[in-house]
Amino acid sequence: MSRFLIYTLSLYAAVQVFSRACVYVDACSQVKKSPPYVDHGTCGNACCKMVYKFKYDDVTTLKAIKKVLSSGGPDGNYSPRPMNDGNVGYSDYRKYHGDVSFMGKFNHMTTGPKHYNDTIYFSIKPLVSTSADNENTGCTVEAFSISLIGGAYGDGDAQNYMNIDNFMSKVTLQNDREIVFGCGKTLSNYQNITFPHEADKDILLIK
């Protein structure tokens, strides 16, 4: 065996060992790290909630969302789901005179070797001016996605974030966005939860 071939094989073996090591070592600059917004069990399962602020009214914004999600959405894998009032995909809550105008529910099927279904919920709330004329000053869209399969502690390539962002980024009226929880966001108050009955924490209700 030639020295060149021996050198080539040795180099290949070293690269493979280094590559595998980098998966577990943060110090490796070329490691394939988790993409931003990957969630790890924030809602028991992986999930994501975001709020979008629009300068347009609730009806105009809903029309834009409907247009984007028609025929399966951007990737063809969004499907409207039954609502509490018998409608599919969307419900009109304006008749109840609350702070929510519309609500919606869709499933999204992932691509890849396994096809998982996640569920997206959203609500649209009008923003009303505090002045005497009660002028409509836009609206907010609260969108939430959760992995349906049990045991989804992580959501791969930030699937729940992508479930929302893939269609909301196509709604060209959007002008602001904020992650509320999940989506890989760490909430400091998670560390400050207190249990009023700490002394009873070991008592089982069922024995």
Side-chain angles (χ1 to χ4, degrees):
M1 186 179 293
S2 67
R3 290 183 178 180
F4 177 76
L5 182 56
I6 293 174
Y7 172 79
T8 301
L9 292 174
S10 299
L11 180 61
Y12 174 79
V15 169
Q16 294 300 306
V17 171
F18 179 77
S19 298
R20 290 192 178 101
C22 277
V23 173
Y24 304 102
V25 180
D26 290 337
C28 297
S29 61
Q30 301 301 319
V31 62
K32 183 181 179 182
K33 295 182 179 179
S34 296
Y37 311 121
V38 171
D39 190 62
H40 293 97
T42 296
C43 300
N45 255 17
C47 68
C48 180
K49 181 178 180 180
M50 293 190 281
V51 174
Y52 294 78
K53 183 179 179 181
F54 292 79
K55 62 181 179 180
Y56 297 91
D57 63 74
D58 47 2
V59 175
T60 303
T61 300
L62 178 65
K63 287 181 179 178
I65 292 175
K66 282 185 173 182
K67 184 176 180 180
V68 171
L69 288 175
S70 63
S71 302
D75 62 1
N77 291 330
Y78 290 84
S79 58
R81 307 306 299 164
M83 302 294 291
N84 184 54
D85 58 2
N87 289 314
V88 178
Y90 310 92
S91 291
D92 188 339
Y93 274 67
R94 291 175 295 176
K95 61 185 177 182
Y96 299 113
H97 305 290
D99 60 346
V100 175
S101 298
F102 305 99
M103 298 188 73
K105 178 182 180 182
F106 276 73
N107 275 6
H108 179 257
M109 184 176 68
T110 64
T111 58
K114 295 183 179 180
H115 297 288
Y116 296 108
N117 282 303
D118 306 322
T119 296
I120 303 104
Y121 301 90
F122 65 87
S123 60
I124 302 177
K125 300 179 179 181
L127 293 173
V128 180
S129 172
T130 55
S131 62
D133 57 9
N134 289 328
E135 180 185 0
N136 190 311
T137 58
C139 70
T140 60
V141 177
E142 296 186 8
F144 173 77
S145 175
I146 188 167
S147 302
L148 286 185
I149 186 70
Y153 177 69
D155 56 357
D157 294 329
Q159 185 61 57
N160 285 291
Y161 170 86
M162 297 304 297
N163 289 341
I164 299 171
D165 190 66
N166 277 348
F167 78 88
M168 288 298 289
S169 63
K170 304 297 188 296
V171 181
T172 57
L173 304 179
Q174 75 181 65
N175 60 4
D176 198 9
R177 185 204 73 186
E178 179 182 354
I179 294 175
V180 180
F181 61 80
C183 322
K185 181 177 181 179
T186 301
L187 298 182
S188 59
N189 61 356
Y190 283 3
Q191 308 301 322
N192 300 320
I193 296 175
T194 59
F195 297 93
H197 303 293
E198 181 110 7
D200 300 331
K201 65 182 179 180
D202 293 329
I203 297 177
L204 297 178
L205 298 179
I206 302 176
K207 296 184 180 181

